[in-house]
Amino acid sequence: MSLLRLDSATIKFGGLVAVNSVSFELDKGDLFGLIGPNGAGKTTCFNLITGVYKPTSGVITFRGKSIGGTPSSKIAAHGIARTFQNIRLFRALSVLENVVVGGYLRHRTGLFSALAYLPSSINETNRLRAEAMELLKVVNLAHVADVRSADLSYGMQRRLEIARAMATQPELLLLDEPAAGMNPLEKEELLVMVKKIRDEHGMTVLLIEHDMRFVMNLCERIVVLDHGEEIAQGPPSAIRNDPKVIAAYLGEAV
Amino acid sequence: MNFWLIRVLSILGAIAGCAGLQVVAGGQSDYIQRLLILAGLYVTLSVSLNLINGITGQFSIGHAAFYQVGAYMAGFCSVHYFKSSHLPPLVWLVVTMVVAAIAAAGAGFVVGLPSLRLRGDYLAIVTLGFGEIIRIQVQNTPALGGSYGMNIEPKVQSIALVWLLAVLCVAVCRNLLKTASGLPFLAVREDEVASSAMGVNVTRAKVTAFVLGSAFAGSAGALLASYEGFITPATFGMDVSFIILTMVVLGGTGSITGSIFAAVFLTLLPEYLRGLKDASGGPLTLTGGTVVAWMIGVIFAVAVLRHVYEDAKRSRLNRLCFGIGGVVVGLIVQAIASVMMNKIGALHDKIIMIGQLRMAIFAVTLIVLMLLRPQGVFAHHEFSWDWVGRLIGRRRRATV
Ligand SMILES: Nc1ncnc2c1ncn2[C@@H]1O[C@H](COP(=O)(O)OP(=O)(O)O)[C@@H](O)[C@H]1O
Ligand SMILES: [Mg+2]
């Protein structure tokens, strides 16, 4: 059984069909790429999967359960976490605190024990902080754990978003243009990091990316959107030579 | 074991401290006692509003409404049930504080739930409206004394309880921020979309903060009712909400320390002004012209200071000089404007006692703050021993 399945997922904003009958399937352990020109509807696909929007029609199933239209705050508990194309960190909070918010989902003590500062709450806080620290090591941010997240460099902020999403311990990780704004060296590191997240942390990864080289090197399967429609699907070698894809990118080197 | 020992000792310490304050204040004039009570109540009110506005990032501007709900709930209970309860007055006061907190929390839930589900400034409008509705409703309810007010028995004046509530309110907010449970509230303030993607129930966090903040305001209301022994709807007008809001903004939204200092400062400032005497020993008065001139002077000073602040490249000395320069410019402009304004007959003849300028001073404080330091005096910083250590450490290093 597939982990995530989009079946003719469609959403209209007024007259604009942002995502038009898109279908694809992810299996557990996939490293899946979602590509397409600007405005193709990639981010909107993420928003459909994570409950930011409700599909106008079509079905989205995760682990066999329909999740289309589930409120976004419940999606994380189902096991899907995401990053944002336009970075959305909790800017005034420290790097570590950002990750603890991701882990808060698994926090087991009640509000009262926090208000009374009971040992149970203190222990729980320490546990979440230790877990968050481990994740910061995965994304090479442990040395800046106490820095205000707004003060990080762009590349570091992107990595922090990944760590924060991982803190919810998702089965499926959605990364929206994780390499945007990174220099070649940082991209190289990110490539290794994403592979590691899949191989060592067992998370399935669905990622949107503009950098073709990055996607082709990383992903094992790719789906291509253009104007909200799915125009191709398959392994990188097939996508590279697909005439429709080449046309959509208007001769850009694919 | 050690943990519980420290916990018990700190609770006993807080109780002893508040009781000690009451003993010391007992020897002072009624006026000093009144100031202590008001300062304590305003600490509770501003810290609890800070939980809503500063920590959770909402914008409630009608906090006095919950203060009023608490006061009237406590008053009503005292009038009807105190005699039959056969409780000592002080114990009864604690009971009414709890009842008032529950009533205000309930009101907070009813008002908060619908408006906090939406994004945007609905809460500001709704809380403002709720404050007025409650006030006018009470004015027209004979059972609550209508606009004449309500006499409350027993009249208990407990400085200790007032400050214990303040300490409790501060402790609860501090505890929240020290544990992971506080993070969802801060996360909601920072980014609602990202919070909910991380599994934070945004509405729940907002409503929780709002209900908790309202409960503390309600409890403070019970203390006010029993201290005054008499409450009228006019005690809880929009100006009270506005004062509490000014305290939160002045101290720095999100800084508990800032709220405490601002609450005490803004409680004492008007009293200090009222006490100012002119040369002949009467209360200090100003002409309308002078007041207008001061406002013009402030505008000029702020314009200069803002110019300096925005240029990050300046050196420290340069900043200091221009800072002093800005104040001097303000004073000169004030002096010139004062002469000119007082030539206008109507402004010259209007005599204002300085104590009456309270609201004008609050308004000007807010505007100046928004222009020069929108994050508030303390920004989001908190008092900590660490910080004191650094301060002393720095001073020590400087003297070596
Ligand atoms: N909330 C919205 N309301 C109206 N139009 C939207 C909304 N969200 C996205 N769109 C439109 O949908 C299209 C796809 O956007 P998006 O998914 O962000 O593209 P991309 O593939 O670059 O991520 C764009 O034309 C965008 O303007
Ligand atoms: Mg996008």
Side-chain angles (χ1 to χ4, degrees):
Chain A
M1 190 181 63
S2 54
L3 183 67
L4 176 77
R5 218 171 95 102
L6 271 74
D7 196 355
S8 320
T10 302
I11 184 164
K12 297 180 187 157
F13 295 114
L16 178 85
V17 190
V19 172
N20 193 358
S21 192
V22 168
S23 307
F24 59 87
E25 272 182 46
L26 265 76
D27 288 325
K28 200 166 164 47
D30 271 350
L31 238 171
F32 203 99
L34 180 56
I35 65 172
N38 251 327
K42 306 179 295 292
T43 299
T44 308
C45 266
F46 273 21
N47 286 338
L48 287 177
I49 298 169
T50 57
V52 176
Y53 303 131
K54 192 173 151 54
T56 315
S57 66
V59 185
I60 301 174
T61 49
F62 183 69
R63 294 200 295 196
K65 259 188 282 178
S66 168
I67 54 163
T70 307
S72 116
S73 64
K74 298 225 171 88
I75 285 291
H78 278 88
I80 304 179
R82 71 176 290 183
T83 67
F84 294 90
Q85 179 179 355
N86 50 337
I87 300 174
R88 282 178 170 272
L89 288 171
F90 307 123
R91 294 175 61 83
L93 302 191
S94 76
V95 168
L96 187 74
E97 286 170 333
N98 266 274
V99 182
V100 175
V101 174
Y104 188 75
L105 200 62
R106 285 172 286 107
H107 164 279
R108 284 186 294 259
T109 52
L111 184 65
F112 177 79
S113 69
L115 296 181
Y117 204 54
L118 297 183
S120 57
S121 181
I122 300 169
N123 293 339
E124 190 72 358
T125 301
N126 290 339
R127 186 179 68 85
L128 289 176
R129 289 175 71 92
E131 277 184 22
M133 205 60 201
E134 287 308 311
L135 282 175
L136 285 181
K137 286 181 192 153
V138 174
V139 297
N140 294 332
L141 289 174
H143 60 294
V144 286
D146 293 325
V147 174
R148 227 173 76 104
S149 64
D151 298 337
L152 293 184
S153 76
Y154 207 67
M156 284 175 151
Q157 293 196 5
R158 290 239 177 256
R159 285 183 348 237
L160 177 54
E161 277 229 337
I162 296 176
R164 185 179 66 176
M166 286 173 73
T168 66
Q169 295 189 351
E171 238 178 298
L172 174 63
L173 189 60
L174 310 179
L175 306 178
D176 198 341
E177 305 206 9
M182 284 189 173
N183 62 39
L185 190 71
E186 286 177 314
K187 281 188 190 177
E188 236 14 80
E189 284 174 7
L190 180 69
L191 203 85
V192 175
M193 195 179 291
V194 175
K195 279 211 170 99
K196 205 165 126 185
I197 290 171
R198 197 266 308 260
D199 296 339
E200 291 176 19
H201 294 262
M203 293 175 192
T204 308
V205 178
L206 171 60
L207 73 89
I208 296 175
E209 191 43 68
H210 251 1
D211 185 328
M212 281 305 135
R213 220 176 62 83
F214 187 88
V215 182
M216 297 290 170
N217 281 339
L218 184 62
C219 298
E220 292 141 1
R221 287 207 306 135
I222 293 171
V223 60
V224 189
L225 297 188
D226 187 25
H227 292 109
E229 313 221 0
E230 184 188 320
I231 56 170
Q233 202 174 142
S237 52
I239 296 295
R240 214 187 306 258
N241 301 318
D242 192 304
K244 273 197 197 159
V245 178
I246 295 173
Y249 276 90
L250 277 173
E252 272 180 55
V254 173
Chain B
M1 176 58 217
N2 199 11
F3 174 87
W4 290 110
L5 187 68
I6 294 173
R7 173 58 58 91
V8 169
L9 283 180
S10 48
I11 292 174
L12 288 178
I15 293 174
C18 293
L21 184 66
Q22 172 145 350
V23 172
V24 172
Q28 306 288 326
S29 66
D30 278 356
Y31 176 67
I32 299 281
Q33 293 193 22
R34 182 178 178 77
L35 284 186
L36 272 172
I37 295 253
L38 287 181
L41 291 178
Y42 274 116
V43 168
T44 304
L45 289 167
S46 64
V47 172
S48 61
L49 182 64
N50 198 359
L51 177 63
I52 301 166
N53 286 16
I55 292 168
T56 320
Q58 304 308 299
F59 196 56
S60 164
I61 53 178
H63 210 47
F66 303 100
Y67 192 31
Q68 173 165 26
V69 168
Y72 270 90
M73 187 68 199
F76 185 82
C77 289
S78 292
V79 167
H80 291 273
Y81 305 114
F82 171 61
K83 290 233 171 64
S84 52
S85 74
H86 303 294
L87 287 171
L90 202 62
V91 177
W92 175 253
L93 176 55
V94 174
V95 171
T96 61
M97 280 168 70
V98 173
V99 173
I102 293 169
F109 185 77
V110 171
V111 173
L113 190 61
S115 41
L116 288 166
R117 288 166 67 100
L118 307 169
R119 226 168 275 165
D121 292 330
Y122 297 99
L123 187 68
I125 300 159
V126 171
T127 48
L128 190 70
F130 177 68
E132 288 305 285
I133 290 168
I134 280 284
R135 201 168 57 80
I136 292 163
Q137 185 60 47
V138 169
Q139 257 171 23
N140 294 299
T141 307
L144 295 174
S147 52
Y148 298 112
M150 186 180 198
N151 274 307
I152 292 154
E153 285 287 334
K155 200 169 168 214
V156 188
Q157 313 201 334
S158 174
I159 294 174
L161 269 184
V162 166
W163 280 92
L164 268 178
L165 181 67
V167 169
L168 180 68
C169 183
V170 171
V172 159
C173 293
R174 281 275 292 165
N175 291 348
L176 188 64
L177 291 185
K178 271 159 79 179
T179 60
S181 300
L183 287 174
F185 297 91
L186 296 166
V188 165
R189 173 185 80 189
E190 295 296 313
D191 191 323
E192 289 188 18
V193 173
S195 299
S196 81
M198 292 305 121
V200 172
N201 186 334
V202 173
T203 305
R204 184 172 163 170
K206 291 198 267 188
V207 172
T208 305
F210 194 69
V211 167
L212 205 57
S214 304
F216 275 108
S219 223
L223 284 166
L224 180 81
S226 103
Y227 166 68
E228 300 275 25
F230 176 73
I231 46 175
T232 79
T235 318
F236 307 94
M238 228 141 59
D239 55 335
V240 176
S241 290
F242 184 60
I243 290 168
I244 305 167
L245 187 64
T246 310
M247 289 167 175
V248 172
V249 175
L250 178 67
T253 39
S255 167
I256 299 169
T257 317
S259 290
I260 298 170
F261 277 103
V264 174
F265 175 71
L266 287 185
T267 309
L268 300 185
L269 180 70
E271 302 303 327
Y272 169 76
L273 291 179
R274 214 198 311 261
L276 286 179
K277 301 268 184 276
D278 65 6
S280 61
L284 188 63
T285 58
L286 300 173
T287 67
T290 313
V291 172
V292 173
W294 270 113
M295 295 201 172
I296 296 173
V298 167
I299 291 169
F300 273 81
V302 166
V304 175
L305 290 178
R306 198 172 141 87
H307 187 70
V308 180
Y309 273 142
E310 277 176 356
D311 187 356
K313 285 197 290 284
R314 289 167 194 273
S315 71
R316 255 191 187 187
L317 186 68
N318 183 310
R319 271 164 187 271
L320 189 70
C321 292
F322 271 91
I324 295 172
V327 175
V328 172
V329 167
L331 288 174
I332 294 172
V333 170
Q334 189 274 335
I336 298 170
S338 174
V339 173
M340 283 163 36
M341 288 299 156
N342 281 321
K343 291 231 160 69
I344 302 171
L347 285 179
H348 179 76
D349 297 338
K350 172 85 188 159
I351 301 295
I352 301 169
M353 282 204 285
I354 195 158
Q356 293 173 332
L357 283 175
R358 199 171 64 138
M359 292 314 283
I361 289 171
F362 284 179
V364 171
T365 310
L366 265 189
I367 294 168
V368 171
L369 206 70
M370 284 301 154
L371 288 173
L372 292 183
R373 196 172 160 85
Q375 69 273 47
V377 173
F378 282 76
H380 52 269
H381 299 294
E382 294 294 355
F383 170 85
S384 72
W385 292 112
D386 220 36
W387 179 74
V388 175
R390 274 207 308 276
L391 211 65
I392 296 169
R394 195 181 304 157
R395 201 175 299 151
R396 217 176 270 148
R397 222 172 301 139
T399 52
V400 166

